[in-house]
Amino acid sequence: MHPIARSGIFGLTQRELRLKRSLGSQELIDRDQKYGGRHFKPLPVVLTKGEGVHLWDVEGKRYLDFLAGFSTVNQGHSHPRLVKVTREQAGNLAHTSRAFYTEPHGQLAEYLTKLLGWEKFLPMNTGVEAGDTAIKVARRWGYRAKKIPTEQATVVFARSNFWGRSIAALSASTDPNCYTDFGPYVPRFDKLPYNDLVALELKFKQDPTVCAFMVEPIQGEAGVVVPRDGYLKGVRDLCTKYDVLWIADEVQTGLGRTGKRLAVDHENQRPDIMILGKALSGGMYPVSGILADEQIMSCLESGSHGSTFGGSPLGNRIALEAVKIVEEENLAENARKLGEIVRKRLEKIPKDIATEYRGRGLLAGLVINKDFAEGWDICLKLKDAGLLTRPAHGQILRISPPLTITREQLEQGLDILTTVLDNYKST
C-alpha cells in the first residue's frame, strides 16, 4: 500500500476515514435546518444520486421518482447524453455573457424555432425569469403596437396561477401563502377565473388597456387543473378578436409532459408568446426562455433586456441536447401511452380514499380525501415504501415521473401507491 494511503487514527485508510466522517440523514437534515434558509419544507430524505427514474439516499436506499424535480427531469436523471455534453461544453467554454457571440446560442435558437414554429427564441435561466421576460415584451408591444397610453398597460392572469416567486409573480398570484406581506405589488395585474371564456371576453371588451393574457394550458401547481375542451381555442379567438397577446406558460407542461410536444398542441393552438423552462434544462443547468415572432420580439432592442447567465454556451448546449432527447426518444408519445395507464389505475381508487383524478399524459394529480388522510402523511408512507413525490395544496398527490419511465417501472410505482393507500389506516 502506498505510504500516504494510511493516515489518521488507528491506521484507517483515507477511504475508511471518509466513510467514518460521513454524516447520516438526520445529521445532514439538522445541519441544513441550522444553517439554511427555511423557505421550503423538504420531505425528510437526503438524496445523493439519481439515474433514470431512480434516486438514492445517503444510506443507499433506492426510490422511484414520481416528481421528476417538479416536471423538470423529463429526460431522466443523469441522462448519458446530457452528462456528455455538459462535460464537453464545461471543459471548453461555459460562460461569456451575451457580450459576445457563441455558437450554441444560434444553434439552440435555430433548432427551437424550426421545431416549434416561432420566429425568435430569447433564452433566460429560470421559469420565473422567462415569465418576467414575456410580460416585459408584452407591455412594450402594448405601448408600441397597440398604442396603449403610457403606464396603463394591463396584464390579465388566471386565478390560481403559479409561475414563480419573484415580486411580479407574487403580484399575479391569488394564493395567500405566496403574496401575504410582500407588497406593494406590481400594478395593473388583473386576475380572472380559470377556464372561463365569458369572464375573459367581458374583461377584454371593457378594458382596452389589456395588452396580454398569461395562462397555463394546464394549471400545474394549482393541483393539475385541466380546462374543458375548447378553452384554449376560445382563448386564441378572443385574444385575436380584441388585439391581446396570448402568453402560454408551458414551463411545467412543455416538452412532452402532457403527451404532446406542447400542451397547446392538444387543441392545435398557437399562442403569441410561448414560455418554456424546467425540462428545457434536462435538470442539468437552469435554462428557460420565450418564443415569439419577429414583430413581437423586436419590441426589445439592445440594452432593454438581459441576463448575466441567460444564453450561456453551457446552458444553450445542454438545452439543445435536452430537447433532442425528448424528440428522438419519443418521450411525448411515451407520456401519452403511460398516462392512460395512470388514469385507468387511479380512477378506480374508492372515493372515500381519493375524491378525484386529474391529469393529462404524465402530469397527474390524485386528490386525497381530507377525511381519509393528509397528503403529507401519505407522502411520508410512500417514502418509506420506496416512492418519492409531494402534495400540492395539502391533498393532491403529484404523479409526474421522468418521461423515460417504462411501463414496468410505472406499474411498480402505481402498485406502491395503491398498496400504501389500501393499508394506510392499518399502519
Side-chain angles (χ1 to χ4, degrees):
M1 179 178 290
H2 194 280
I4 66 170
R6 287 268 171 199
S7 62
I9 58 173
F10 307 121
L12 295 175
T13 66
Q14 290 177 350
R15 178 176 180 276
E16 289 168 338
L17 278 171
R18 286 196 299 270
L19 290 173
K20 189 175 182 66
R21 287 195 299 265
S22 66
L23 301 179
S25 289
Q26 191 56 55
E27 293 171 298
L28 291 168
I29 291 170
D30 290 343
R31 183 178 66 182
D32 194 289
Q33 291 181 338
K34 181 176 180 179
Y35 297 106
R38 300 185 187 181
H39 61 285
F40 205 83
K41 183 182 179 182
L43 209 67
V45 57
V46 182
L47 301 174
T48 188
K49 178 185 175 182
E51 182 178 318
V53 299
H54 292 107
L55 293 163
W56 285 261
D57 67 18
V58 292
E59 278 80 34
K61 181 177 178 178
R62 189 179 77 165
Y63 303 85
L64 268 172
D65 180 9
F66 261 37
L67 189 64
F70 293 107
S71 301
T72 297
V73 194
N74 286 9
Q75 301 84 350
H77 294 278
S78 303
H79 193 292
R81 288 172 58 176
L82 287 175
V83 172
K84 181 175 183 290
V85 300
T86 300
R87 286 173 172 162
E88 288 175 354
Q89 190 62 47
N92 187 33
L93 181 66
H95 176 69
T96 62
S97 85
R98 287 287 288 131
F100 311 99
Y101 288 100
T102 61
E103 185 178 6
H105 187 273
Q107 281 182 318
L108 177 63
E110 180 182 25
Y111 184 82
L112 286 178
T113 53
K114 289 182 176 180
L115 178 72
L116 300 177
W118 282 270
E119 294 173 357
K120 298 283 185 178
F121 175 70
L122 191 163
M124 294 297 291
N125 304 287
T126 63
V128 72
E129 288 177 285
D132 280 349
T133 301
I135 291 167
K136 281 184 67 174
V137 172
R139 281 178 160 181
R140 181 62 71 86
W141 173 89
Y143 295 125
R144 297 189 174 182
K146 193 173 179 178
K147 305 303 180 183
I148 295 171
T150 302
E151 302 297 314
Q152 293 185 33
T154 299
V155 181
V156 178
F157 301 86
R159 291 175 188 159
S160 300
N161 72 81
F162 181 89
W163 53 279
R165 292 183 174 88
S166 69
I167 290 297
L170 299 185
S171 300
S173 177
T174 55
D175 182 354
N177 286 332
C178 288
Y179 66 72
T180 301
D181 293 336
F182 291 115
Y185 302 102
V186 176
R188 306 193 77 88
F189 275 17
D190 292 348
K191 299 100 175 181
L192 297 175
Y194 186 63
N195 200 20
D196 189 336
L197 295 174
V198 174
L200 188 64
E201 180 162 25
L202 183 62
K203 176 63 176 177
F204 287 176
K205 186 182 296 185
Q206 293 178 342
D207 189 351
T209 70
V210 176
C211 64
F213 175 49
M214 181 165 158
V215 66
E216 300 157 87
I218 297 173
Q219 289 194 322
E221 294 304 301
V224 192
V225 181
V226 182
R228 69 178 182 276
D229 292 343
Y231 176 66
L232 300 181
K233 182 181 185 304
V235 169
R236 174 69 279 167
D237 291 345
L238 289 176
C239 287
T240 300
K241 179 179 178 180
Y242 291 95
D243 198 20
V244 171
L245 297 184
W246 173 18
I247 303 172
D249 175 4
E250 293 231 28
V251 169
Q252 185 161 182
T253 57
L255 302 176
R257 173 56 57 183
T258 68
K260 295 277 190 179
R261 184 179 285 150
L262 301 171
V264 295
D265 293 342
H266 287 281
E267 293 192 26
N268 298 312
Q269 299 302 309
R270 185 178 185 269
D272 298 293
I273 301 176
M274 170 61 64
I275 307 174
L276 294 177
K278 290 188 182 289
L280 185 61
S281 72
M284 299 295 286
Y285 183 92
V287 187
S288 66
I290 67 168
L291 289 143
D293 286 343
E294 172 72 31
Q295 185 250 352
I296 294 171
M297 198 76 85
S298 63
C299 292
L300 293 180
E301 67 274 353
S302 178
S304 64
H305 193 61
S307 164
T308 299
F309 287 95
S312 73
L314 181 59
N316 286 332
R317 180 83 187 280
I318 289 170
L320 178 63
E321 195 68 16
V323 181
K324 285 184 175 180
I325 290 168
V326 172
E327 291 296 305
E328 294 168 11
E329 296 189 7
N330 298 312
L331 298 186
E333 177 61 14
N334 195 49
R336 185 194 67 78
K337 291 189 299 185
L338 297 188
E340 279 300 297
I341 294 173
V342 174
R343 181 184 62 80
K344 290 176 181 177
R345 286 283 301 270
L346 298 188
E347 283 183 341
K348 294 178 180 177
I349 295 175
K351 299 300 182 186
D352 61 331
I353 296 177
T355 59
E356 184 183 1
Y357 160 83
R358 305 170 182 171
R360 181 167 280 167
L362 285 177
L363 179 64
L366 185 68
V367 184
I368 299 300
N369 191 324
K370 183 79 171 177
D371 295 331
F372 177 77
E374 296 289 334
W376 180 262
D377 294 335
I378 296 294
C379 288
L380 291 176
K381 294 289 187 182
L382 290 172
K383 175 188 74 73
D384 293 342
L387 185 144
L388 296 179
T389 189
R390 286 181 62 92
H393 293 275
Q395 294 304 114
I396 306 164
L397 298 186
R398 306 167 194 262
I399 297 95
S400 59
L403 304 188
T404 53
I405 195 168
T406 64
R407 178 166 183 164
E408 180 182 9
Q409 291 166 335
L410 180 70
E411 295 277 15
Q412 179 189 357
L414 294 174
D415 287 344
I416 292 172
L417 175 59
T418 54
T419 299
V420 165
L421 292 174
D422 288 343
N423 297 331
Y424 180 77
K425 290 296 188 181
S426 61
T427 57

